[in-house]
Amino acid sequence: MIRNSYFRGFLFTLLILFPGLANLYKSMGSGTLVLMTLAGLGVVFQKPRPSFSRNEKWLMTVFAAYMAIYLLSAVVNSLTGVLGEIRGTHFEKKTYLLTFIPIYFLFRRIHIPAWVLWWGVALGGMLVGCYALIDFGWVDIEYRVRGAYNPIMFGCLSLTMAFMAIQGYRYFRRQHLLLIIVPLAGFFLGTVSSILTGSRGAWIAIPAFLGITLYHLGKNLRRLELALIIGTFGVALLAAYHIPETGVAQRFEFAQNDLRKFAKGDVTIENSVGLRLASWDASWQMVKGHLLLGIGPGGYHPTILRMSREGQLPYAVDVYHTQPHSIYFAVLVDCGVVGIGILLSVFILPVYIFFQRIRGSGPNKPAAYAGLILAMGYIHFGLTETIFGRNLFVAFFVIMLAMLMALTTNQEEVNY
């Protein structure tokens, strides 16, 4: 265990500030990731090393395999002439995922206390919520709160923080009854923040988030407390839908109109639902003959341009953008079904590990439920967004996953 009080104080402060500030300030996410990685590399080779369970080793392996399959696909498709050019930028974000390994080493050595997680996500939810309310201004229904980068990232991560924060309700209640306002505020304001972004791709995770939350807290809270939490969320949703200035009802109407236009073959750059469906179809068309390893990293956009020149696309080329707006289709194009299998392992293995820790006798089970929120959120967000193509998405996933894994690890587990 690292005992330097100054280093631990700096690290804990950074982890508390990270969830909220990374969503508001550019480079906060990647900067924190770099600092954590460098600190982690400094302890990887120090002895005694932490012991890891078989599942933890498998998780570190699939993170490495994700990078490896991209390299393999690039080499094979380049040698066979399918991929015209290999660029380092196509591997940058995959390299970032590898930082999970040294960061997890660091967090296992540092022994992070639970209060760092719960105050971090609760304050993060409050911070992004207050920012969203101020930034939105309740004036222009066409305006979508965007945070440091764009409404999609801001909305997805705000909602994730909100539901992670409410998993810590019992922690705050044990400290003092009045402190329950902290997770409730983080939950409410984080939800409001996501709503004001108008990011429908974030909202599709709400049923899964609610299911996890009700299963967790429904077993451990009095009915009045559970009603308070459900009511907090319900008020946020109802107010957002029925107050015209939020634009939520309008966003649902836009989605319905987009689907009707797509059915009629009317897809333009403004049709966000239609352009995604068109991009997914084009992705499938270009990869049908290369299912095993895809057409190589970075092959999507050049292939779209070629298909457009040859008249194989039903819509204007700008509809398809430079990526297919789905991590699943992006990986399918880049690395084929082998890549999809590894990607699913990156998402599903944490879900399995956290379920095991919920059922076991290890510490901090509420943190394991927060881990389910994180993993399930990314599974859903990836349906409509190329999440691992964005620095902040990668940094948030890696750092929060490593912290949650470390918090829920039974320190008495044997090293297989």
Side-chain angles (χ1 to χ4, degrees), residues 163-367:
F163 275 90
M164 288 176 70
I166 203 62
Q167 308 309 313
Y169 180 90
R170 286 190 300 151
Y171 168 83
F172 286 99
R173 187 182 66 180
R174 285 196 299 267
Q175 306 304 310
H176 194 284
L177 182 60
L178 292 179
L179 284 179
I180 64 171
I181 193 65
V182 176
L184 287 173
F187 182 46
F188 178 78
L189 289 169
T191 300
V192 168
S193 175
S194 181
I195 289 170
L196 294 181
T197 66
S199 298
R200 295 167 301 206
W203 304 341
I204 61 176
I206 287 177
F209 283 0
L210 277 176
I212 294 168
T213 302
L214 294 177
Y215 181 79
H216 173 209
L217 299 180
K219 298 187 304 178
N220 300 290
L221 298 182
R222 294 187 293 270
R223 290 183 179 179
L224 182 61
E225 290 179 297
L226 192 61
L228 176 62
I229 292 171
I230 296 172
T232 299
F233 185 72
V235 167
L237 289 186
L238 288 174
Y241 190 83
H242 289 290
I243 296 175
E245 285 79 8
T246 66
V248 171
Q250 189 180 59
R251 293 291 293 167
F252 282 106
E253 292 175 7
F254 285 164
Q256 294 172 5
N257 290 335
D258 285 354
L259 285 172
R260 284 193 288 266
K261 289 180 180 179
F262 178 78
K264 297 176 182 178
D266 179 16
V267 178
T268 65
I269 192 67
E270 287 79 23
N271 184 338
S272 63
V273 176
L275 67 83
R276 280 172 168 78
L277 295 173
S279 298
W280 300 347
D281 179 65
S283 298
W284 174 247
Q285 297 303 319
M286 68 177 65
V287 82
K288 280 194 301 185
H290 308 275
L291 281 177
L292 187 63
L293 289 175
I295 61 174
Y300 174 84
H301 189 51
T303 305
I304 282 292
L305 297 177
R306 177 183 59 78
M307 292 172 71
S308 178
R309 289 193 301 269
E310 296 175 359
Q312 299 178 22
L313 298 178
Y315 312 112
V317 68
D318 60 349
V319 163
Y320 300 89
H321 286 278
T322 57
Q323 45 90 10
H325 287 284
S326 167
I327 188 61
Y328 303 103
F329 280 99
V331 172
L332 179 66
V333 170
D334 289 346
C335 303
V337 294
V338 178
I340 286 292
I342 295 173
L343 174 68
L344 291 176
S345 298
V346 169
F347 290 145
I348 295 174
L349 191 52
V351 172
Y352 174 76
I353 291 172
F354 287 125
F355 264 123
Q356 291 296 103
R357 292 179 178 180
I358 288 168
R359 295 173 59 189
S361 58
N364 298 321
K365 289 188 179 182

Side-chain angles (χ1 to χ4, degrees), residues 345-414:
S345 298
V346 169
F347 290 145
I348 295 174
L349 191 52
V351 172
Y352 174 76
I353 291 172
F354 287 125
F355 264 123
Q356 291 296 103
R357 292 179 178 180
I358 288 168
R359 295 173 59 189
S361 58
N364 298 321
K365 289 188 179 182
Y369 283 100
L372 287 181
I373 294 292
L374 177 71
M376 292 299 294
Y378 272 68
I379 289 172
H380 286 80
F381 303 152
L383 293 171
T384 57
E385 178 65 16
T386 311
I387 48 176
F388 286 160
R390 307 277 191 173
N391 288 346
L392 179 54
F393 267 132
V394 175
F396 192 90
F397 184 72
V398 166
I399 293 174
M400 298 307 295
L401 178 63
M403 178 160 52
L404 291 161
M405 290 277 294
L407 274 169
T408 57
T409 296
N410 186 344
Q411 301 299 327
E412 297 179 356
E413 286 179 330
V414 298

Side-chain angles (χ1 to χ4, degrees), residues 99-224:
T99 62
F100 171 81
I101 298 173
I103 291 174
Y104 190 49
F105 265 84
L106 173 66
F107 289 174
R108 285 291 301 274
R109 290 289 300 274
I110 202 73
H111 290 192
I112 301 170
W115 60 264
V116 172
L117 167 68
W118 299 126
W119 279 99
V121 292
L123 290 176
M126 287 188 274
L127 185 61
V128 296
C130 291
Y131 168 86
L133 289 171
I134 295 170
D135 190 40
F136 186 75
W138 299 94
V139 175
D140 186 359
I141 64 173
E142 299 295 329
Y143 183 78
R144 295 172 61 189
V145 174
R146 58 186 301 112
Y149 295 95
N150 61 58
I152 295 174
M153 260 195 292
F154 194 72
C156 289
L157 296 184
S158 293
L159 192 67
T160 302
M161 279 188 284
F163 275 90
M164 288 176 70
I166 203 62
Q167 308 309 313
Y169 180 90
R170 286 190 300 151
Y171 168 83
F172 286 99
R173 187 182 66 180
R174 285 196 299 267
Q175 306 304 310
H176 194 284
L177 182 60
L178 292 179
L179 284 179
I180 64 171
I181 193 65
V182 176
L184 287 173
F187 182 46
F188 178 78
L189 289 169
T191 300
V192 168
S193 175
S194 181
I195 289 170
L196 294 181
T197 66
S199 298
R200 295 167 301 206
W203 304 341
I204 61 176
I206 287 177
F209 283 0
L210 277 176
I212 294 168
T213 302
L214 294 177
Y215 181 79
H216 173 209
L217 299 180
K219 298 187 304 178
N220 300 290
L221 298 182
R222 294 187 293 270
R223 290 183 179 179
L224 182 61

